[in-house]
Coordinates of all heavy atoms in Angstrom, one line a residue:
I15 N -153.7 -40.7 -100.6 CA -153.5 -41.9 -101.4 C -154.9 -42.2 -101.9 O -155.9 -42.0 -101.2 CB -152.9 -43.0 -100.6 CG1 -152.5 -44.2 -101.4 CG2 -153.8 -43.4 -99.4 CD1 -151.7 -45.2 -100.7
S16 N -154.9 -42.9 -103.0 CA -156.3 -43.3 -103.6 C -156.7 -44.6 -102.9 O -155.9 -45.3 -102.3 CB -156.2 -43.6 -105.1 OG -155.4 -44.7 -105.4
I17 N -158.0 -44.9 -103.0 CA -158.4 -46.2 -102.4 C -157.8 -47.4 -103.0 O -157.3 -48.3 -102.3 CB -160.0 -46.3 -102.6 CG1 -160.7 -45.2 -101.8 CG2 -160.5 -47.6 -102.1 CD1 -162.2 -45.0 -102.1
S18 N -157.7 -47.4 -104.3 CA -157.1 -48.5 -105.0 C -155.6 -48.7 -104.6 O -155.1 -49.8 -104.4 CB -157.3 -48.4 -106.5 OG -156.7 -47.2 -107.0
D19 N -154.9 -47.6 -104.5 CA -153.5 -47.7 -104.1 C -153.3 -48.1 -102.7 O -152.4 -48.9 -102.4 CB -152.7 -46.4 -104.3 CG -152.5 -46.1 -105.8 OD1 -152.5 -47.0 -106.6 OD2 -152.2 -44.9 -106.1
L20 N -154.2 -47.7 -101.8 CA -154.2 -48.1 -100.4 C -154.4 -49.6 -100.3 O -153.6 -50.3 -99.7 CB -155.2 -47.4 -99.6 CG -155.3 -47.8 -98.1 CD1 -154.2 -47.1 -97.4 CD2 -156.7 -47.3 -97.6
I21 N -155.4 -50.1 -101.0 CA -155.7 -51.6 -100.9 C -154.6 -52.3 -101.5 O -154.2 -53.4 -101.0 CB -157.1 -51.8 -101.6 CG1 -158.2 -51.2 -100.8 CG2 -157.3 -53.3 -101.8 CD1 -158.4 -51.9 -99.5
K22 N -154.1 -51.9 -102.7 CA -152.9 -52.6 -103.3 C -151.8 -52.7 -102.3 O -151.2 -53.8 -102.2 CB -152.6 -51.8 -104.6 CG -151.4 -52.4 -105.3 CD -151.0 -51.7 -106.6 CE -149.9 -52.3 -107.3 NZ -149.5 -51.5 -108.5
Q23 N -151.4 -51.6 -101.7 CA -150.3 -51.7 -100.7 C -150.6 -52.6 -99.5 O -149.7 -53.3 -99.1 CB -150.1 -50.2 -100.2 CG -149.4 -49.3 -101.2 CD -148.0 -49.7 -101.5 OE1 -147.7 -50.1 -102.7 NE2 -147.1 -49.8 -100.6
I24 N -151.8 -52.5 -99.0 CA -152.1 -53.4 -97.9 C -152.1 -54.9 -98.2 O -151.5 -55.7 -97.5 CB -153.5 -53.0 -97.3 CG1 -153.5 -51.6 -96.6 CG2 -154.0 -54.0 -96.2 CD1 -154.8 -51.0 -96.3
K25 N -152.7 -55.2 -99.3 CA -152.8 -56.6 -99.7 C -151.4 -57.1 -100.1 O -151.0 -58.2 -99.8 CB -153.8 -56.7 -100.9 CG -155.2 -56.6 -100.5 CD -156.2 -56.4 -101.6 CE -156.3 -57.5 -102.6 NZ -157.3 -57.3 -103.6
G26 N -150.7 -56.2 -100.9 CA -149.3 -56.6 -101.3 C -148.4 -56.9 -100.1 O -147.7 -57.9 -100.1
S27 N -148.3 -55.9 -99.2 CA -147.4 -56.1 -98.1 C -147.8 -57.2 -97.2 O -146.9 -57.9 -96.7 CB -147.3 -54.8 -97.3 OG -148.5 -54.4 -96.7
S28 N -149.1 -57.4 -97.0 CA -149.5 -58.5 -96.1 C -149.2 -59.9 -96.7 O -148.7 -60.8 -96.0 CB -150.9 -58.3 -95.6 OG -151.8 -58.3 -96.7
S29 N -149.5 -60.0 -98.0 CA -149.3 -61.3 -98.6 C -147.7 -61.6 -98.7 O -147.3 -62.7 -98.5 CB -149.9 -61.4 -100.0 OG -149.4 -60.5 -100.9
H30 N -147.0 -60.6 -99.0 CA -145.5 -60.7 -99.0 C -144.9 -61.1 -97.6 O -144.2 -62.1 -97.5 CB -144.8 -59.4 -99.4 CG -143.3 -59.5 -99.5 ND1 -142.5 -59.3 -98.5 CD2 -142.6 -59.8 -100.6 CE1 -141.3 -59.4 -98.9 NE2 -141.3 -59.8 -100.2
F31 N -145.5 -60.5 -96.6 CA -145.0 -60.8 -95.2 C -145.4 -62.3 -94.9 O -144.5 -63.0 -94.4 CB -145.8 -59.9 -94.2 CG -145.6 -60.2 -92.8 CD1 -144.3 -60.0 -92.2 CD2 -146.6 -60.7 -92.0 CE1 -144.1 -60.3 -90.8 CE2 -146.4 -61.0 -90.7 CZ -145.2 -60.9 -90.1
I32 N -146.5 -62.7 -95.2 CA -147.0 -64.1 -94.9 C -146.2 -65.1 -95.7 O -145.6 -66.1 -95.2 CB -148.5 -64.3 -95.1 CG1 -149.2 -63.5 -94.2 CG2 -148.9 -65.8 -95.0 CD1 -150.7 -63.1 -94.6
N33 N -146.0 -64.9 -97.0 CA -145.3 -65.8 -97.9 C -143.8 -65.8 -97.6 O -143.1 -66.8 -97.9 CB -145.6 -65.5 -99.3 CG -146.9 -65.9 -99.8 OD1 -147.4 -67.0 -99.4 ND2 -147.6 -65.1 -100.6
H34 N -143.2 -64.8 -97.1 CA -141.8 -64.7 -96.9 C -141.3 -64.8 -95.4 O -140.1 -65.2 -95.2 CB -141.2 -63.5 -97.5 CG -141.3 -63.5 -99.0 ND1 -142.4 -63.0 -99.7 CD2 -140.5 -63.9 -100.0 CE1 -142.2 -63.2 -101.0 NE2 -141.0 -63.7 -101.2
E35 N -142.2 -64.5 -94.5 CA -141.8 -64.5 -93.1 C -142.5 -65.5 -92.3 O -142.0 -66.1 -91.4 CB -141.8 -63.1 -92.5 CG -140.8 -62.2 -93.2 CD -140.7 -60.8 -92.5 OE1 -140.7 -60.8 -91.3 OE2 -140.6 -59.9 -93.3
I36 N -143.8 -65.6 -92.5 CA -144.6 -66.5 -91.7 C -144.7 -67.9 -92.2 O -144.5 -68.8 -91.4 CB -146.1 -65.9 -91.6 CG1 -146.0 -64.5 -91.0 CG2 -146.9 -66.8 -90.7 CD1 -145.3 -64.3 -89.7
K37 N -145.0 -68.1 -93.5 CA -145.0 -69.4 -94.1 C -144.2 -69.5 -95.4 O -144.8 -69.6 -96.5 CB -146.5 -69.7 -94.3 CG -147.3 -70.0 -93.1 CD -148.7 -70.6 -93.5 CE -149.4 -71.1 -92.2 NZ -150.6 -71.8 -92.5
P38 N -142.9 -69.3 -95.2 CA -142.1 -69.4 -96.5 C -142.4 -70.7 -97.2 O -142.4 -71.8 -96.6 CB -140.7 -69.3 -96.0 CG -140.8 -68.8 -94.6 CD -142.1 -69.2 -94.1
G39 N -142.5 -70.6 -98.5 CA -142.8 -71.8 -99.3 C -144.2 -72.1 -99.3 O -144.6 -73.1 -100.1
G40 N -145.1 -71.5 -98.6 CA -146.5 -71.8 -98.5 C -147.2 -71.0 -99.6 O -146.6 -70.3 -100.5
F41 N -148.5 -71.1 -99.6 CA -149.3 -70.3 -100.6 C -150.3 -69.4 -99.9 O -151.1 -69.9 -99.1 CB -150.1 -71.3 -101.5 CG -151.0 -70.6 -102.4 CD1 -150.5 -70.0 -103.6 CD2 -152.3 -70.4 -102.1 CE1 -151.4 -69.4 -104.5 CE2 -153.2 -69.8 -103.0 CZ -152.7 -69.2 -104.2

């Protein structure tokens, strides 16, 4: 995987997890 794709995946999945499972409705 490329560096940019790796970071995109890590950032995307972690922010999705936080916004949808940890703090739904938060920012």
